[in-house]
Amino acid sequence: MSAPTSTTRMVRVDLGGRAYDIAIGAQLLDRVGELAAPLLAAPRVVVVSDGTVAPLYGARLAASFKKAGIETGSVTVPPGESSKEFAAFSRLMNDLLDLRPDRKTTLVALGGGVVGDLTGFAAAVLLRGVDFIQVPTTLLAQVDSSVGGKTGINTRHGKNLVGAFYQPRLVVVDTDVLGTLPRRELLSGYAEVAKYGLIDDPAFWDWCEANGAALIAGDAARRAYAIEHSCRAKARIVAADERETTDLRALLNLGHTFGHALEAETGFGPDLLHGEAVGAGMALAFDLSAKLGLCPALDATRVRHHLDAVGLPVRLRGIGGNNRRQWSATKLIDHMRGDKKAEAGRLTFVLARGIGRAFVTREVDAVALRDLLDTAIAA
Ligand code: NAD
Ligand code: GLY
């Protein structure tokens, strides 16, 4: 790879023969072609983006490939989760094949987690597998979904139930593109940033409490620091447990058992974004940990307080905008049972013994869980 500039930070995802770099910095969109060129099997790429991101950044990305002598095609999908439906995936595959790619063509995902998951899965199966590069443009994608090779699409049975572990060849994070991201999307990504502190890094959680508000308000240095720190945390976990065969990678699912139930109940739609669900889910996971006597009550209070203070919806009655709903503990528990993390009907939770001390358990008392949900619904 060509030498990064002094302001570009590099994080390695150490996966032996499939290792790759995450380049993080300002204005990197203009350097994707130069960074990618040495890694391409042939100087041909197809950029997949969505209808919001392509008009904002597609031309700059194409210019960077052109400057590096790389032929570029493009396909645009509608923005939003619906592009991860099977029918949309089928359309994408045909649109890609219309461009007559060969097995040396590289796909480039320019967008948030939807475009990244979709393009990664397309790359895994197009012509039985072509390379792909991630250029994530949401905070959530920059700190989580673009790293680690989980790719997939949705089915009527649930989200991400068809997919593959398929690693990118390179991830390029241009921190400046967050400047156009709606605040709500930024906050949703921030929940995933804070998650790394809660899992195993109490000092980073302290940093989030002190710096989260400034990061969200637009402080570039704090954003860059948080993205790099998050990518290092994720790279370390993925390198140690790429396919979630031990419980290590499963720690990244902190907040997800509750979050999945909340998302399922709100229809996986605009009433609750994925990161918002993770934020509310992390607050509930710490509440449950405190209720079970595993974690100091003060730690659960800190988690709820900070996420609430930055503007994430942590109270159930605050979820849903104008579509406030009648929550039911029974329905939420049913959704949890349908989650792909449930094993033979047993729910899997990531709980904590304190901030930065998360662990996986399949032994949660059903009465305590229902009681916690009833309390959260009433609050
Ligand atoms: P998203 O991809 O839907 O993007 C959110 C919205 O922001 C979209 O409307 C998009 O067009 C817009 N957008 C993106 N970048 C922008 C920019 N720079 N400026 C202006 N608008 C911009 O949502 P997301 O939160 O990035 O990703 C959610 C998806 O990620 C879900 O499908 C979830 O399942 C998946 N996910 C995957 C993993 C993984 O490990 N693979 C992890 C977490 C989440
Ligand atoms: N986002 C969870 C994981 O990558 O494992």
Side-chain angles (χ1 to χ4, degrees):
M1 174 175 299
S2 57
T5 63
S6 58
T7 54
T8 307
R9 308 285 299 174
M10 303 301 274
V11 175
R12 187 87 173 150
V13 185
D14 210 348
L15 287 168
R18 287 169 297 107
Y20 53 95
D21 287 315
I22 309 165
I24 302 163
Q27 305 283 310
L28 280 193
L29 213 51
D30 304 316
R31 296 189 53 228
V32 178
E34 167 202 342
L35 294 166
L39 304 171
L40 301 182
R44 291 188 284 284
V45 300
V46 176
V47 177
V48 180
S49 191
D50 75 24
T52 300
V53 177
L56 287 170
Y57 301 113
R60 267 176 69 196
L61 185 60
S64 105
F65 284 124
K66 189 170 178 206
K67 201 167 66 183
I70 297 162
E71 191 188 310
T72 313
S74 67
V75 175
T76 302
V77 302
E81 194 67 31
S82 63
S83 281
K84 279 175 67 176
E85 284 170 12
F86 240 116
F89 179 71
S90 165
R91 274 195 300 280
L92 170 66
M93 293 313 281
N94 280 305
D95 289 350
L96 288 169
L97 289 164
D98 285 345
L99 298 176
R100 304 210 169 266
D102 59 38
R103 298 193 64 191
K104 291 186 173 177
T105 302
T106 295
L107 301 190
V108 180
L110 173 68
V114 164
V115 166
D117 282 10
L118 177 72
T119 308
F121 187 51
V125 294
L126 181 69
L127 306 175
R128 299 201 176 86
V130 299
D131 286 345
F132 87 113
I133 289 172
Q134 292 268 20
V135 185
T137 63
T138 62
L139 182 58
L140 181 141
Q142 294 185 345
V143 301
D144 185 6
S145 63
S146 68
V147 175
K150 280 191 181 174
T151 72
I153 56 172
N154 304 334
T155 74
R156 68 186 160 82
H157 293 276
K159 267 186 68 170
N160 301 324
L161 291 181
V162 170
F165 284 100
Y166 196 66
Q167 301 292 343
R169 295 296 315 279
L170 172 71
V171 181
V172 183
V173 176
D174 183 336
T175 51
D176 288 340
V177 302
L178 298 180
T180 55
L181 193 65
R183 179 182 157 83
R184 191 173 164 209
E185 298 288 350
L186 193 76
L187 275 171
S188 170
Y190 179 74
E192 302 278 9
V193 170
K195 184 181 79 177
Y196 293 108
L198 295 178
I199 291 173
D200 65 356
D201 192 347
F204 186 57
W205 173 262
D206 293 347
W207 184 92
C208 286
E209 284 181 326
N211 297 280
L215 178 166
I216 290 160
D219 185 284
R222 288 181 170 89
R223 283 184 181 180
Y225 173 80
I227 292 166
E228 181 185 347
H229 198 90
S230 301
C231 286
R232 282 196 194 285
K234 179 135 189 197
R236 182 172 38 79
I237 291 173
V238 168
D241 182 19
E242 182 186 6
R243 288 177 172 252
E244 212 166 299
T245 43
T246 70
D247 278 342
L248 182 59
R249 186 163 181 168
L251 292 174
L252 294 171
N253 294 331
L254 174 61
H256 283 59
T257 299
F258 287 107
H260 172 87
L262 300 175
E263 276 188 287
E265 188 57 22
T266 49
F268 294 101
D271 283 353
L272 187 67
L273 304 179
H274 178 71
E276 291 175 335
V278 169
M282 293 192 303
L284 288 167
F286 269 79
D287 286 346
L288 181 58
S289 303
K291 185 179 176 64
L292 294 172
L294 297 164
C295 151
L298 184 62
D299 283 13
T301 305
R302 272 177 76 186
V303 172
R304 184 167 283 280
H305 177 77
H306 176 57
L307 299 177
D308 184 37
V310 295
L312 279 158
V314 283
R315 291 177 70 205
L316 297 197
R317 70 174 62 221
I319 290 172
N322 293 328
N323 303 323
R324 299 284 157 86
R325 48 188 30 83
Q326 199 59 48
W327 297 98
S328 134
T330 302
K331 279 208 235 167
L332 290 174
I333 293 169
D334 277 352
H335 289 307
M336 290 177 190
R337 289 194 203 291
D339 189 352
K340 67 180 179 307
K341 292 182 289 301
E343 282 177 10
R346 274 201 314 168
L347 304 182
T348 304
F349 284 91
V350 182
L351 297 184
R353 295 193 174 84
I355 286 170
R357 299 179 63 204
F359 65 97
V360 176
T361 178
R362 294 168 188 85
E363 311 294 336
V364 165
D365 179 65
V367 176
L369 173 63
R370 182 172 292 273
D371 199 40
L372 177 101
L373 288 170
D374 283 338
T375 307
I377 289 166

